């Protein structure tokens, strides 16, 4: 009997952290064939170039789709979605998957969902039914209505998806697969001792032995023009705490140039780009 082909589309750093253990399970299953498509910011160096870690983890990449337009604004976000929708159908037509798997709520994920749906390929969506109150929530719910199978993280998310009209038999409470990684780290805490040396980047090394902070701030896409002002306030607050800080580099969204731009340098913070769960940047007040 031919193996069922499961095509996982990884579009960004957090997408890979959420799906990595599921990808391994698919790869190891005797009746399944894993197909891996890497696209969007997962291919870009300044966002960690996730593809190299995917390959290092032993996964074969079946296709790469370059689709991100520079600019980090509302126009480029919309156009990037369109480029993905133009390119992904060609990949799906070549790979002929039995199921496409898409993750969460980003605009690249929406392009994946639309392409699979219009090609009559069953779509499995991870982490539907969650409430975030931004454009991401609209995208997440739109993908829910496009998807055939819903792998949700919580019972509350399950209930939301069912209330949106999806058949209960198609909704499965699986938890977020990234919990598997958290459990692995809990069992082997030594893996977190020095992520800077493991993943490299730009900036000072981080001494984590006496406590540290972890900070993540993405631009609010509905307030993207305020992203520099908002990150500057955060930087001043972190500076006053005077602790080593692991700082997540922002996603490729409208306003991300402001979040990672000149104001950071003027605030005397050094950055290091680290790929973790998801990719992070370490920052220490200078």
């Amino acid at each position: 009997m031919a193996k069922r082909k499961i095509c996982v589309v990884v579009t960004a750093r957090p997408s890979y952290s959420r799906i990595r253990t599921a990808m391994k399970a698919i790869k190891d299953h005797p009746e399944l064939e894993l197909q891996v498509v890497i696209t969007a910011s997962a291919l870009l160096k300044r966002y960690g170039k996730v593809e190299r870690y995917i390959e290092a983890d032993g996964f074969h990449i079946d296709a790469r789709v370059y689709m991100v337009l520079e600019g980090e604004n509302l126009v480029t976000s919309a156009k990037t979605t369109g480029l993905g929708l133009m390119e992904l159908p060609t990949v799906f037509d070549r790979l002929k998957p039995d199921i496409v798997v898409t993750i969460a709520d980003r605009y690249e994920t929406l392009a994946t969902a639309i392409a699979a749906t219009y090609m009559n390929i069953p779509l499995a969506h991870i982490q539907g039914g969650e409430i975030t109150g931004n454009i991401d929530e609209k995208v997440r719910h739109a993908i829910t209505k496009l998807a055939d199978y819903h792998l949700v993280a919580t019972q509350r998310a399950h209930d939301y998806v069912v209330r949106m009209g999806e058949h209960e038999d198609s909704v499965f409470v699986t938890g977020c697969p990234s919990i598997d990684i958290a459990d692995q780290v809990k069992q082997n805490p030594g893996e977190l001792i020095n992520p800077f040396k493991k993943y490299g980047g730009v900036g000072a090394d981080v001494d984590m032995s006496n406590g540290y902070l972890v900070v993540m701030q993405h631009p609010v896409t509905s307030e993207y023009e305020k992203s520099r002002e908002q990150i500057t306030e955060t930087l001043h607050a972190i500076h006053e705490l005077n602790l080593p800080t692991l700082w997540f580099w922002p996603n490729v969204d409208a306003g991300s140039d402001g979040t990672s731009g000149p104001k950071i340098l003027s605030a005397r913070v050094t950055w290091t780009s680290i790929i973790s769960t998801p990719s992070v940047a370490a920052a220490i007040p200078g």
Side-chain angles (χ1 to χ4, degrees):
M1 184 176 67
K3 293 183 178 181
R4 298 189 72 193
K5 293 181 285 187
I6 313 299
C7 181
V8 176
V9 181
V10 178
T11 64
R13 307 164 303 185
S15 299
Y16 181 53
S17 71
R18 289 187 178 101
I19 198 65
R20 188 178 77 182
T21 57
M23 288 170 59
K24 185 178 186 306
I26 294 168
K27 179 182 176 183
D28 294 343
H29 197 290
E31 297 178 7
L32 301 177
E33 175 187 336
L34 174 65
Q35 298 174 326
V36 179
V37 176
I38 309 300
T39 184
S41 63
L43 292 169
L44 302 182
K45 185 175 182 180
R46 68 174 166 140
Y47 293 99
K49 202 167 187 180
V50 182
E51 62 169 329
R52 59 182 172 176
Y53 296 99
I54 292 173
E55 290 180 318
D57 286 338
F59 297 111
H60 170 72
I61 297 175
D62 295 274
R64 294 169 174 82
V65 177
Y66 292 90
M67 58 186 278
V68 174
L69 282 180
E70 283 286 349
E72 280 78 12
N73 59 52
L74 301 179
V75 173
T76 57
S77 296
K79 288 187 175 182
T80 294
T81 306
L83 285 175
L85 187 52
M86 290 178 64
E87 297 295 330
L88 286 167
T90 302
V91 172
F92 294 157
D93 185 57
R94 176 172 64 84
L95 296 179
K96 293 180 169 49
D98 294 295
I99 294 178
V100 169
V101 179
T102 194
I103 303 112
D105 56 11
R106 293 187 53 77
Y107 50 87
E108 313 97 326
T109 303
L110 182 60
T112 302
I114 294 172
T117 298
Y118 273 101
M119 296 182 71
N120 289 332
I121 304 170
L123 179 70
H125 181 210
I126 291 177
Q127 283 196 284
E130 298 179 10
I131 304 299
T132 56
N134 205 324
I135 182 63
D136 295 346
E137 181 178 322
K138 296 179 180 180
V139 170
R140 188 188 300 265
H141 292 346
I143 296 170
T144 290
K145 298 308 297 180
L146 292 169
D148 301 280
Y149 303 100
H150 312 273
L151 309 174
V152 301
T154 65
Q155 184 62 44
R156 186 175 75 163
H158 168 280
D159 295 342
Y160 276 131
V161 170
V162 171
R163 281 157 52 188
M164 290 171 65
E166 299 305 299
H167 198 285
E168 192 163 7
D169 290 346
S170 69
V171 188
F172 305 88
V173 181
T174 60
C176 177
S178 62
I179 293 175
D180 300 332
I181 299 175
D183 184 63
Q184 292 170 8
V185 172
K186 182 179 179 181
Q187 299 300 323
N188 299 285
E191 294 182 5
L192 282 181
I193 292 301
N194 199 321
F196 179 81
K197 289 183 178 178
K198 181 176 181 179
Y199 297 108
V202 178
D205 198 353
V206 181
D207 180 3
M208 301 170 62
S209 60
N210 295 312
Y212 57 95
L213 300 173
V214 176
V215 180
M216 178 174 63
Q217 183 166 324
H218 299 304
V220 180
T221 52
S222 57
E223 302 176 351
Y224 77 99
E225 70 281 359
K226 299 180 181 179
S227 58
R228 280 192 185 179
E229 176 185 344
Q230 291 166 345
I231 193 64
T232 300
E233 290 299 317
T234 304
L235 286 163
H236 285 305
I238 296 301
H239 181 80
E240 291 179 6
L241 294 174
N242 196 31
L243 284 171
T245 302
L246 297 175
W247 200 302
F248 285 70
W249 193 262
N251 284 334
V252 56
D253 288 315
S256 63
D257 278 352
T259 301
S260 58
K263 287 283 178 116
I264 290 173
L265 299 179
S266 66
R268 298 169 62 238
V269 174
T270 56
W271 289 70
T272 181
S273 179
I274 300 173
I275 301 301
S276 185
T277 315
S279 170
V280 301
I284 304 177

